[in-house]
Amino acid sequence: MTSSAPQQGDSSRVRDLRIAIVHSFYSSATPSGENQAVADQMAALDRAGLKPHLVAAHTDRLSRSPLYPLRAAVTVGSGRGHSPEADLRRLRPDVVHVHNLFPNFGSAWLSNWDGPIIATVHNYRPLCAAATLYRKGATCTLCPDGDRWAGLRNGCYRQSRTATAPLAWAGRHGAPANPLLRRADRIVVLSEASRQTYVRAGIEPGRLVLVPNFTSDAASPKGVGSGRRHDRVDAPWVFAGRLTPEKGLMELLVRWPASERLDVVGDGPLLEDCRRAAPRAVRFLGAVQYSELRERLPSWRGLVFPSRCPEGAPLIYPEALAAGLPVLAFPGSAVADSVREQGTGMVVGWHEPLDAALSRAADHFHSLRPHCRSVFLRHYTERIWVNRIANVYSDALAHHAAVREVPSGGGPRVPEMEPRW
């Protein structure tokens, strides 16, 4: 099995391509896989010689102002407010890649920008005020199905109608009218489930491109993929994520067998409720550093992923595969779909006896570890992601040139997109 770590090569094989990455960073008080993904992608593009430049807004800094809630609400509801346009015009990028505008960047600038734009949709915010398509214990698609004010009636964002109102107003015409999705030359989705959801919401399939998240292979402890460190019958299972309703941890804990050890990594508003619901064999480890989690993943028996919402593509899945860790998933999430398709674990029905399912999983998960590593190396490495996103940039440049009138001798150039390894 060969490593997919990037290797340095001839930089002349890649023409210079200036890429502006636009991202509104969520608060550090709420750990975000999206923030981590953007940081990882910036580093990967830089290593590939593709010259990324970050244009960012940081909630941590902006929220220090007492007027921040009002300003953010106006920006979200009207599309006007803080804009990356001045920075973009100074940088003069070949491609603008937008990850997130909410809640600190407006969208009005998009109509003024004449260059190619790529949008990555990490969640379902253009379709759902809560961004999760989840409400009261189940998937909810009322808003994308046409009931545009359902989110406002139910106070879906932060359980508040006041907080939801700007989002409901901004999304009142549906996903095709979303300024970013309407303007983008290509829209990157992270899973097939996400692609299908956006197609059903009215986005043209030809502009949607599936590019799954990647994770680095830097933490590749001795024995990963061999099962040698993980044959202990008392090794615990692990859950890793935010302790929020859509993650499904509460439903998992009330069914968790008292005889099975489970480590819960993460924090969130449901922490105390989860503690009360958990049997004694469950340990709460709190939030841990990203690097520490990556290092510790191989020591667990398997990742338990009980999400109740159709998440886009959480980073924990490729991270588990990189560690050779099989996954026990429950129906309804993109991870469950991937586990079925790629054979990286087992999908358990919510009404199936959990003790029997865990026993079956324990019997064969150790033999799945080499396969999980193999799936990671085939689908989720940095090198594979760079090749895929480079193709997206090239396609977007070509599409943008084709659909707009280009003066003789002008317009965006389409570079050779062979990354430097």
Side-chain angles (χ1 to χ4, degrees):
M1 187 176 296
T2 60
S3 171
S4 61
Q7 303 294 321
Q8 295 300 319
D10 182 2
S11 61
S12 66
R13 295 171 61 192
V14 182
R15 294 184 185 176
D16 288 348
L17 182 71
R18 292 174 66 84
I19 304 163
I21 305 295
V22 177
H23 183 60
S24 175
F25 281 83
Y26 298 107
S27 169
S28 59
T30 304
S32 166
E34 187 172 327
N35 286 353
Q36 184 65 52
V38 170
D40 290 346
Q41 291 178 23
M42 284 284 298
L45 291 170
D46 186 62
R47 284 190 287 268
L50 298 184
K51 300 185 182 303
H53 301 269
L54 181 63
V55 179
H58 295 270
T59 297
D60 285 345
R61 180 177 60 81
L62 295 172
S63 61
R64 295 171 189 164
S65 167
L67 295 178
Y68 174 74
L70 178 60
R71 287 175 179 165
V74 171
T75 297
V76 171
S78 70
R80 301 189 178 278
H82 189 49
S83 169
E85 187 175 357
D87 286 333
L88 293 176
R89 296 209 177 277
R90 177 177 54 82
L91 289 169
R92 301 179 61 209
D94 296 286
V95 170
V96 175
H97 187 167
V98 179
H99 284 267
N100 176 49
L101 299 177
F102 175 82
N104 299 311
F105 280 129
S107 57
W109 65 275
L110 291 160
S111 61
N112 300 326
W113 188 257
D114 191 43
I117 292 180
I118 290 93
T120 292
V121 285
H122 292 265
N123 54 42
Y124 299 107
R125 184 83 63 193
L127 316 178
C128 167
T132 59
L133 295 178
Y134 172 90
R135 186 173 66 88
K136 292 186 175 179
T139 297
C140 174
T141 60
L142 288 175
C143 290
D145 289 344
D147 187 355
R148 304 294 187 211
W149 302 106
L152 180 60
R153 288 198 310 273
N154 294 290
C156 289
Y157 181 61
R158 296 186 173 178
Q159 292 78 54
S160 165
R161 290 181 180 176
T162 300
T164 303
L167 286 158
W169 179 258
R172 67 194 184 279
H173 297 306
N178 177 277
L180 177 57
L181 301 188
R182 185 179 63 221
R183 173 61 180 81
D185 296 276
R186 290 293 182 267
I187 301 167
V188 174
V189 293
L190 307 182
S191 69
E192 177 60 23
S194 181
R195 191 191 71 82
Q196 293 177 8
T197 299
Y198 277 98
V199 169
R200 288 195 297 270
I203 302 300
E204 310 93 296
R207 288 194 298 131
L208 293 165
V209 187
L210 174 57
V211 182
N213 280 328
F214 74 93
T215 191
S216 73
D217 201 18
S220 202
K222 182 179 179 181
V224 167
S226 69
R228 284 178 292 169
R229 291 181 55 191
H230 320 287
D231 290 333
R232 290 177 22 229
V233 295
D234 62 338
W237 304 88
V238 64
F239 165 94
R242 283 277 294 162
L243 308 190
T244 51
E246 73 276 5
K247 298 297 186 181
L249 182 59
M250 278 292 295
E251 291 87 346
L252 178 73
L253 291 175
V254 297
R255 300 179 55 217
W256 191 260
S259 59
E260 292 282 352
R261 298 173 62 203
L262 173 68
D263 288 344
V264 174
V265 177
D267 201 350
L270 293 185
L271 175 59
E272 292 308 316
D273 290 338
C274 289
R275 287 185 185 276
R276 286 189 289 270
R280 294 183 58 133
V282 176
R283 295 190 306 173
F284 290 85
L285 305 183
V288 302
Q289 292 293 324
Y290 176 68
S291 57
E292 181 184 350
L293 175 63
R294 289 290 309 278
E295 183 178 350
R296 294 180 62 175
L297 275 172
S299 67
W300 283 294
R301 182 179 298 188
L303 174 72
V304 184
F305 192 85
S307 180
R308 305 284 286 176
C309 69
E311 297 194 44
L315 276 173
I316 190 62
Y317 178 66
E319 288 164 358
L321 301 189
L325 194 65
V327 180
L328 184 74
F330 291 77
S333 69
V335 167
D337 295 341
S338 296
V339 167
R340 287 194 187 97
E341 179 183 350
Q342 297 172 336
T344 51
M346 192 167 76
V347 178
V348 183
W350 278 104
H351 300 294
E352 183 177 347
L354 190 52
D355 52 354
L358 289 168
S359 179
R360 292 200 313 276
D363 286 342
H364 76 274
F365 268 25
H366 69 280
S367 65
L368 278 180
R369 291 180 180 271
H371 174 70
C372 290
R373 277 286 296 171
S374 176
V375 169
F376 162 73
L377 292 171
R378 292 199 308 269
H379 297 286
Y380 300 109
T381 66
E382 178 179 314
R383 180 173 184 173
I384 290 170
W385 180 85
V386 167
N387 287 334
R388 287 169 172 164
I389 205 66
N391 287 334
V392 174
Y393 293 157
S394 183
D395 288 347
L397 283 160
H399 173 264
H400 189 80
V403 299
R404 287 164 175 79
E405 292 185 3
V406 180
S408 177
R413 54 189 170 79
V414 182
E416 296 174 8
M417 293 301 299
E418 188 173 4
R420 181 190 70 199
W421 296 111

